[in-house]
Amino acid sequence: LGVSLYKQGDHKKAADAFDAAILCGAEPELRLRCVNNQSNCLFRRAEAMAQRGPDGLSMDKEALTEMVALYARSKHCLRAVLKAKPRFEKAAFNLELLKLRMYEAGQALKAADQAEQMRAKQLVYARKTLAGLVTRQAQLADDTADLIEWQTAYDIPRIIARQRVILTETDELNALMKAVKGKLPHGPAKRAQEKLRDVSAIQVSLEQLATSIKAQSSALKDLAEKRLDDANDRQYTAVDALTRALEAFPDIKKLEGKDQEDSEAGGDWTGRMEEGAEDAKGQVFELAAGQINPMALPAPDLSPEAILREEIMNRRQRQRKRSAKYGNVERNW
C-alpha cells in the first residue's frame, strides 16, 4: 500500500502506510526498507513545498521552517538505515543530497528571519516618524493660525519652509511604508489572518497618508499665493489625515515587545503639567506629612494615543476660539 501511494504521489499517506507496516512487526529487512521509504516520502514532501526564485528559495518563513523540519526527519530516518546497513549506497547518496538541501533551506530561513526583523524595525520606525509628523503638522497649523490672527506677513517664508520639510518627510514615509507592504508575505501560513490584518492596516494608513500629502501640497500652493485662510484649513486637514493614519497603523507591540512599547509610551510623554496638578502636588505633600487621610489617585494615561487625543482636543478648542471675530479696538496711546 505504501509503495502504491508513493507512486501515486500521495507521500503523506504513503509515509503513514510504511509506519503502519513497521508497527505491525515486519521482518528486519522489510522494516529497514520501510524506514528508507519513509525518508523518501518526507524528502518528497519537502521538495513539493519548494518555491524557487532567481536568488534561490523564495518562501514564507513558516513554510521554510516546516520544510527544514521535514528534511530533519528524513535525515534521521536515513541515518537509522545507514547505521543498520552501512553499505546501502542509495541511502548514502540520498543523505548527501539531503545535506545540500538542508543547507540551502537553512540559509533561506536565516535570510527570511533577518528580513522579518528588518520589516519589524521599519514598522516601528515608521510609527514613531508618523507620530512626530502629527505633532509637527499640528504645531505648524497652529502657528499659521497665529500668523493670520496677528497679520505678521514676514513669517510666511518660514511657514512655507517648515511645510515643505514636513511634506518631504511625509513623502519619504509613504515610500517606506509602500516598500514594507510589498514585502509582507501573502502566502498561506498559520498566521495568515494576522498578516492580512497587518497588510490591510498599512493600506488604510497609506490612503490617509496620500490624503495628507495632497492637503499639504495644496497648503504650500495657497501659502505661496498668500491665501492663508485656505492654507490653514488644508493644514488642519493634513493633521486629521495623519492622525487617522496613526490610529490605523498596525499594532507593533508584537514586533518590539510590550516592555519596549511601555518604555516608548513613557519616553514620549513631555511631562507637561496638567490642569489641577498643583493641587495634586499639595495633596501628596500633605499626605506625606500625615495631615490628611490617604486617598487613591487615578493613574494618568501617558500612552502616545492618549496624548495625541488631548492635543487634538486642545487644537479644536483653539480653532473654536479663533473663529470668533474680534471687533476693532480703539487704541489708547
Side-chain angles (χ1 to χ4, degrees):
L1 177 61
V3 171
S4 176
L5 290 169
Y6 182 87
K7 289 181 178 180
Q8 294 174 17
D10 195 343
H11 301 119
K12 190 175 188 306
K13 290 184 178 179
D16 293 338
F18 290 130
D19 190 49
I22 295 172
L23 294 176
C24 288
E27 60 182 10
E29 183 67 23
L30 181 58
R31 184 165 59 248
L32 195 64
R33 289 167 55 191
C34 287
V35 174
N36 181 71
N37 289 340
Q38 275 188 320
S39 171
N40 290 336
C41 290
L42 293 167
F43 180 82
R44 293 299 178 187
R45 285 175 59 191
E47 290 289 288
M49 296 176 61
Q51 299 175 7
R52 300 185 183 277
D55 299 327
L57 290 174
S58 177
M59 299 166 60
D60 181 74
K61 179 183 174 181
E62 295 177 11
L64 284 169
T65 303
E66 185 177 354
M67 176 186 279
V68 170
L70 289 171
Y71 280 143
R73 289 168 59 191
S74 178
K75 182 179 178 181
H76 177 74
C77 292
L78 283 178
R79 283 186 168 176
V81 171
L82 289 171
K83 184 177 181 181
K85 194 175 181 180
R87 296 186 178 181
F88 194 172
E89 293 183 359
K90 288 185 177 179
F93 175 82
N94 289 343
L95 182 59
E96 293 303 316
L97 177 61
L98 186 59
K99 288 179 181 179
L100 292 175
R101 291 288 193 271
M102 285 189 69
Y103 176 78
E104 181 186 23
Q107 292 297 108
L109 180 59
K110 182 179 179 181
D113 186 54
Q114 292 175 347
E116 184 174 331
Q117 292 179 5
M118 179 58 66
R119 285 194 296 271
K121 291 179 180 178
Q122 288 174 332
L123 284 174
V124 172
Y125 168 79
R127 186 187 185 282
K128 292 180 178 179
T129 303
L130 185 54
L133 286 172
V134 172
T135 303
R136 289 165 57 197
Q137 182 64 57
Q139 184 61 53
L140 181 60
D142 290 343
D143 291 347
T144 305
D146 291 339
L147 182 147
I148 296 171
E149 182 177 347
W150 296 104
Q151 299 181 358
T152 51
Y154 60 87
D155 281 337
I156 293 180
R158 297 180 182 178
I159 295 292
I160 292 176
R162 290 168 60 189
Q163 185 63 77
R164 186 173 289 114
V165 170
I166 294 175
L167 176 59
T168 301
E169 294 182 8
T170 308
D171 275 326
E172 293 174 353
L173 177 62
N174 186 58
L176 172 64
M177 290 181 61
K178 283 184 178 179
V180 172
K181 177 178 177 289
K183 293 178 182 179
L184 284 176
H186 299 271
K190 295 179 181 178
R191 294 173 53 230
Q193 293 299 323
E194 182 180 343
K195 291 175 181 177
L196 286 176
R197 285 196 298 270
D198 287 347
V199 172
S200 61
I202 292 177
Q203 181 60 37
V204 173
S205 294
L206 283 171
E207 292 172 358
Q208 296 300 327
L209 277 178
T211 302
S212 177
I213 290 172
K214 183 178 179 181
Q216 291 180 42
S217 300
S218 299
L220 270 177
K221 184 177 180 181
D222 290 335
L223 285 169
E225 297 177 1
K226 305 293 181 64
R227 297 195 298 268
L228 301 185
D229 289 329
D230 293 340
N232 196 220
D233 291 340
R234 287 179 169 80
Q235 285 176 332
Y236 281 120
T237 300
V239 174
D240 292 336
L242 287 172
T243 303
R244 287 193 293 269
L246 182 61
E247 292 173 350
F249 206 87
D251 182 15
I252 62 171
K253 289 185 179 180
K254 61 179 180 297
L255 301 175
E256 62 176 352
K258 188 177 185 303
D259 292 338
Q260 186 173 348
E261 179 72 5
D262 292 341
S263 64
E264 175 193 345
D268 287 345
W269 183 48
T270 59
R272 184 176 57 258
M273 185 73 72
E274 302 294 339
E275 185 178 355
E278 291 294 339
D279 297 335
K281 287 174 62 179
Q283 290 175 356
V284 173
F285 176 80
E286 292 176 356
L287 178 62
Q291 297 179 13
I292 64 173
N293 295 326
M295 59 181 298
L297 298 176
D301 187 0
L302 305 181
S303 65
E305 290 78 8
I307 295 174
L308 284 173
R309 284 196 298 270
E310 180 189 358
E311 290 291 341
I312 293 172
M313 291 175 61
N314 292 338
R315 173 167 52 82
R316 288 174 179 171
Q317 289 177 358
R318 288 193 294 269
Q319 280 182 288
R320 287 195 294 268
K321 183 178 179 181
R322 281 194 297 268
S323 63
K325 299 296 183 181
Y326 294 96
N328 295 327
V329 178
E330 182 179 356
R331 296 186 180 182
N332 185 351
W333 297 102

